[in-house]
Amino acid sequence: MRTDTTPPEREQRRGLALYLGGIAVCVLLIGIGAVWGNVHYTRTLERSRARQAERVRAECAERGALFVARIPGNLPATDPQDDAWDVAPVLEVPLQRQALTMPMLEQASVARVELQALTDGSAIAFRVSWEDPTQDTHVDAGRFADGVALQFPLTRNAAFTMGDRDQLVQILHWTALWQLDVDEHFQDVQDLHPNMWVDLYWFAEGPPWRLPDSFQDPRSLQWLVGYSAGNPLSDFRRRSPIEELVAEGFGTLTVQPRAVATGRGVWSDGRWRVVFSRPLATDDPLDYRFWLGGSGKVSAAVWDGSHGNVGGRKHYSNWVDFEVSP
Amino acid sequence: MPERFNWQIGRPMAYPYDGPQPERQVAYVFDTNKCIECQTCTVACKTCWTSGKGQETIFWNNVETKPYGGYPLEWDTRLLDQLGPAEWKGKRLASRTIFEQATGKDSDKQPPFGHRPAVEDYAAPNVGEDDITGLVEKGGHFAGVHPIWMFYLARICNHCDNPACLAACPRRAIYKRVEDGIVLVDQERCRGYQECVRACPYKKVFFNVVSRISEKCIGCFPRVENGEVALCVQSCIGKIRMHGFLTTRGEPREDNPLDYIVRIRRLALPLYPQYGTGPNVYYIPPIHVPTRFLEQLFGPGVEQSRRLYRGLAGDRRLLGCLLLFGATDRMITRFDVQGEVAIGWNDAGEEIARVPITEPSWVRDHYDEKYDAYRHNTT
């Protein structure tokens, strides 16, 4: 065998090769170790998070607080009948008739709500469900729709009675009427009174005189004063069954111009099930902030339309604590 | 709850807000003796203000037939049934107003006493109201009060001194303007709770099913701001209406037609003063209707008012003032009767109406010589 190198050079190279090989092996070993360690660490962390979540869940159950369980993906953000809700922890929250301010609710008809919440790590969804034998979806003279609201304190000492001056609360509000507006179409006069007949509405194209299609000419909107004044309640192009509001005491309820909450309510078997969902955090300072592993307060209000519930004539709960899974 | 004096009931009463008196109070006088229920006022108002989607059964102005008619159905009799008849001791109301019904520790949390009409109550205005039940005996029309009677009652928002709608609104979305006392629902702020609909004893706040908030007569404020009378007043072919202002800060003025008719002469009376809201549409009661009925509607001043009305021919100043009804489309804030004419002026001091006390008349010959023609009475 012929070589071009001298023995000492060869020795030198062999040494170098061994040296480099050794380093490579070491690096490999360290790498394997690191990966193994990392996996082990993650597993431990997961186990520890699961244990911690379990502990929080147990504590919540003990303290009568709501545990916001974390689920991997597919948050049932707009489906109150999703299977995930069957296994989510439930907190039963008692309601009472509003008798603190005018106008009071004379008689209570809803005793309690069941409250649940889930998070996927970036958004949170609450489900409220309660017994209501009648599905009240429309409003008219002396006729009112079912509804539900969740309230969160924006300042530490905000009262559950819709806050107080400089003690703000945020409120997410759903009504059965808005759900129908979104699911079907804007609930118009025809939906309330199918046999109605009107010869004409100025500047509108019709029949069938439906909003918004027949009312494209801006002049036809002159008589829709609430809409023209920008009242959110009069918006016949509503996209969400939920509105976001802030309040600092009775009578101060104010709609937030920007809303991120979504949701949906479904009535079946004498029960409303309504989901509210939104990102954990937003950049709006008047939005409540949730965070993983954090805790907070929530309260609920329910309106039973067929019992004349509207505005202050409602059922409400005190604050209840909730803790979000880490 | 703060108290305020209500001159219509001759005593102080509880009212939840201690607001200032407006600088002046928009007010109307309706002469029921002249109304023929032609509904021109109703149509003028509806065409202008409430002909939109959701306003199908909303009539800020309506005219109904008393005693049985009412829009919304039984708006007044239902409340009367619940409250019982008004009791007066002279000019002082002895019974309780709608603001004084609640008793006990939570009385401050009770809205004014009221009721909510149902959807059907708005569905058929005027239907069946004029069906007669008998005939007046020959010559009975001239005998004063009839045994069988009816009359027309034109109604708009009363722009009350103590509005029940305002007191009932938990959001304070209803306000009374300082400049003229017109009561308005803030269309941006209202959330459609219908508390105002329940509280207004006259049922003159309406729920709009399309805008899903409450609406009411705006007193034609864009016209009032320009010194023009409301459309229901301008369009009245029977000239039964006068639109002006009552003096609120200071004594009633002899030369203010509204002050003169309402406060000084007390010819025109508030509708259901016993409710305590201080309504500002004042009615000259019909002269042919039994007093007992009218006193439930207009309070204890009915007989005196009727005496004045019957004696109008010799009451030049009052007669002159009434002749200014419908004489101009602008708001008369000062008037005078000078010799054989009644004159009205506006805020700027411009003469806007001049009406003779007695209309001149001419009798023309049966035969016209110039045209060689005979004149015939064709009616």
Side-chain angles (χ1 to χ4, degrees):
Chain A
M1 192 165 87
R2 191 175 172 273
T3 61
D4 298 328
T5 49
T6 55
E9 276 179 328
R10 234 196 255 153
E11 277 303 307
Q12 225 174 8
R13 278 196 188 171
R14 216 173 115 203
L16 185 67
L18 276 172
Y19 175 71
L20 289 175
I23 288 171
V25 167
C26 282
V27 166
L28 191 67
L29 283 175
I30 288 166
I32 289 169
V35 169
W36 183 80
N38 205 11
V39 167
H40 180 69
Y41 174 75
T42 310
R43 277 186 187 156
T44 313
L45 198 67
E46 264 175 16
R47 273 205 295 272
S48 132
R49 188 184 283 144
R51 273 202 301 274
Q52 201 184 338
E54 200 43 56
R55 184 172 51 74
V56 177
R57 181 198 292 259
E59 274 176 20
C60 280
E62 202 174 308
R63 286 198 296 120
L66 176 68
F67 176 67
V68 185
R70 188 166 173 178
I71 55 167
N74 292 331
L75 190 70
T78 54
D79 187 359
Q81 292 171 308
D82 191 283
D83 292 345
W85 294 113
D86 296 341
V87 292
V90 181
L91 182 70
E92 201 171 87
V93 181
L95 299 178
Q96 50 193 315
R97 71 183 178 95
Q98 195 287 111
L100 296 167
T101 188
M102 185 201 92
M104 301 192 290
L105 179 61
E106 302 289 335
Q107 204 162 17
S109 59
V110 184
R112 65 191 69 82
V113 291
E114 285 186 0
L115 200 55
Q116 294 170 286
L118 293 167
T119 177
D120 61 359
S122 62
I124 189 164
F126 285 85
R127 185 177 86 158
V128 196
S129 65
W130 71 98
E131 252 179 56
D132 186 347
T134 54
Q135 188 185 7
D136 310 313
T137 48
H138 286 89
V139 293
D140 203 334
R143 185 175 171 188
F144 308 100
D146 293 332
V148 62
L150 290 178
Q151 176 181 250
F152 302 94
L154 289 176
T155 51
R156 199 178 353 180
N157 297 318
F160 67 92
T161 49
M162 293 176 73
D164 214 333
R165 185 166 291 232
D166 298 325
Q167 300 287 337
L168 269 70
V169 293
Q170 191 190 20
I171 291 166
L172 307 181
H173 180 212
W174 171 95
T175 77
L177 174 65
W178 298 338
Q179 190 64 60
L180 217 51
D181 283 343
V182 172
D183 287 351
E184 293 180 1
H185 49 250
F186 175 74
Q187 296 301 295
D188 210 328
V189 184
Q190 289 92 328
D191 301 291
L192 280 161
H193 306 289
N195 296 321
M196 68 156 278
W197 179 260
V198 165
D199 293 330
L200 93 155
Y201 296 96
W202 301 116
F203 307 112
E205 294 280 333
W209 313 114
R210 269 204 174 272
L211 278 161
D213 298 345
S214 300
F215 290 76
Q216 298 298 323
D217 186 330
R219 291 174 299 175
S220 68
L221 301 175
Q222 288 176 90
W223 287 270
L224 303 175
V225 181
Y227 176 80
S228 304
N231 190 322
L233 270 103
S234 312
D235 182 7
F236 49 79
R237 293 191 171 87
R238 177 176 289 281
R239 299 241 183 279
S240 169
I242 289 168
E243 64 174 0
E244 295 183 23
L245 310 115
V246 287
E248 52 173 5
F250 296 128
T252 65
L253 203 56
T254 304
V255 177
Q256 288 175 269
R258 217 152 43 104
V260 291
T262 56
R264 188 157 170 258
V266 174
W267 185 91
S268 68
D269 307 325
R271 205 170 175 83
W272 277 112
R273 294 173 181 84
V274 180
V275 171
F276 296 86
S277 59
R278 41 151 288 186
L280 288 175
T282 72
D283 55 5
D284 185 344
L286 290 178
D287 278 352
Y288 185 80
R289 287 179 85 84
F290 301 92
W291 63 94
L292 295 173
S295 60
K297 286 185 168 110
V298 60
S299 73
V302 168
W303 288 264
D304 182 0
S306 53
H307 282 77
N309 287 199
V310 63
R313 299 178 195 268
K314 68 185 174 189
H315 305 77
Y316 72 97
S317 83
N318 207 328
W319 291 126
V320 293
D321 293 324
F322 68 84
E323 292 197 33
V324 186
S325 178
Chain B
M1 202 182 284
E3 287 212 329
R4 51 167 66 184
F5 186 79
N6 180 338
W7 68 267
Q8 295 179 357
I9 61 171
R11 67 171 172 84
M13 53 157 244
Y15 185 72
Y17 295 111
D18 206 6
Q21 282 269 30
E23 289 159 19
R24 55 183 179 174
Q25 173 62 52
V26 77
Y28 312 77
V29 174
F30 291 2
D31 185 351
T32 59
N33 295 292
K34 290 161 74 180
C35 179
I36 57 166
E37 203 184 52
C38 65
Q39 307 283 6
T40 311
C41 47
T42 307
V43 173
C45 174
K46 190 147 187 62
T47 307
C48 182
W49 299 121
T50 63
S51 44
K53 196 84 197 275
Q55 297 176 314
E56 292 78 5
T57 59
I58 295 178
F59 290 89
W60 290 352
N61 180 109
N62 80 291
V63 190
E64 59 201 38
T65 308
K66 286 294 168 202
Y68 297 118
Y71 161 84
L73 212 61
E74 299 182 328
W75 63 273
D76 49 352
T77 47
R78 260 179 232 179
L79 188 57
L80 285 170
D81 274 349
Q82 291 171 37
L83 290 179
E87 291 164 29
W88 296 87
K89 287 197 172 124
K91 303 269 183 207
R92 187 185 165 94
L93 181 73
S95 50
R96 283 179 294 165
T97 68
I98 58 167
F99 304 103
E100 299 163 327
Q101 294 295 315
T103 51
K105 67 178 172 66
D106 280 339
S107 59
D108 276 9
K109 290 176 204 153
Q110 298 289 349
F113 188 85
H115 67 95
R116 265 195 193 112
V119 173
E120 300 75 31
D121 298 331
Y122 295 94
N126 296 111
V127 172
E129 286 183 0
D130 285 348
D131 293 358
I132 52 169
T133 55
L135 298 171
V136 180
E137 279 178 29
K138 195 173 179 187
H141 296 94
F142 306 105
V145 171
H146 304 174
I148 293 164
W149 53 269
M150 42 79 85
F151 69 98
Y152 301 122
L153 188 69
R155 302 202 306 116
I156 59 171
C157 168
N158 285 288
H159 298 283
C160 300
D161 291 343
N162 321 305
C165 56
L166 186 155
C169 180
R171 286 180 63 70
R172 302 189 183 189
I174 301 182
Y175 59 102
K176 187 168 177 64
R177 305 207 308 182
V178 172
E179 61 268 42
D180 51 20
I182 288 178
V183 178
L184 295 172
V185 178
D186 184 337
Q187 294 291 293
E188 267 183 272
R189 188 160 174 76
C190 176
R191 279 183 67 84
Y193 300 153
Q194 302 186 37
E195 293 296 335
C196 47
V197 179
R198 175 199 285 255
C200 172
Y202 305 98
K203 298 298 163 242
K204 278 296 173 189
V205 194
F206 301 89
F207 183 68
N208 180 320
V209 295
V210 165
S211 66
R212 296 170 179 173
I213 55 177
S214 292
E215 293 177 351
K216 65 176 286 300
C217 160
I218 58 170
C220 282
F221 73 82
R223 294 176 59 86
V224 170
E225 287 169 9
N226 285 311
E228 295 169 324
V229 298
L231 285 169
C232 58
V233 178
Q234 181 187 7
S235 63
C236 179
I237 59 162
K239 303 189 176 186
I240 80 150
R241 301 186 183 208
M242 171 163 269
H243 188 184
F245 300 99
L246 284 173
T247 303
T248 50
R249 301 178 180 179
E251 291 300 305
R253 281 173 22 225
E254 287 267 343
D255 64 352
N256 173 341
L258 271 291
D259 278 355
Y260 188 68
I261 296 173
V262 174
R263 298 301 305 273
I264 296 170
R265 305 302 305 275
R266 302 212 175 201
L267 172 67
L269 306 169
L271 179 62
Y272 292 116
Q274 64 264 43
Y275 296 154
T277 62
N280 283 304
V281 178
Y282 297 88
Y283 293 87
I284 300 176
I287 53 169
H288 63 288
V289 173
T291 308
R292 231 178 127 221
F293 180 86
L294 291 180
E295 282 184 341
Q296 277 305 312
L297 256 75
F298 302 120
V302 173
E303 271 305 319
Q304 185 202 336
S305 161
R306 251 198 308 227
R307 269 199 305 277
L308 275 176
Y309 200 74
R310 290 204 181 101
L312 270 177
D315 197 336
R316 304 293 274 183
R317 188 166 175 82
L318 191 55
L319 177 64
C321 191
L322 293 191
L323 289 174
L324 291 169
F325 280 39
T328 170
D329 296 344
R330 290 189 279 169
M331 294 179 86
I332 299 173
T333 52
R334 186 163 65 85
F335 88 104
D336 197 11
V337 176
Q338 296 173 356
E340 284 300 303
V341 288
I343 308 162
W345 293 271
N346 66 6
D347 268 342
E350 297 159 340
E351 182 186 307
I352 52 174
R354 178 175 282 262
V355 182
I357 297 285
T358 308
E359 290 275 352
S361 59
W362 290 269
V363 178
R364 296 192 289 180
D365 290 339
H366 178 50
Y367 174 69
D368 188 314
E369 285 180 7
K370 185 179 172 191
Y371 296 106
D372 186 24
Y374 289 91
R375 296 195 178 92
H376 294 272
N377 186 351
T378 54
T379 54

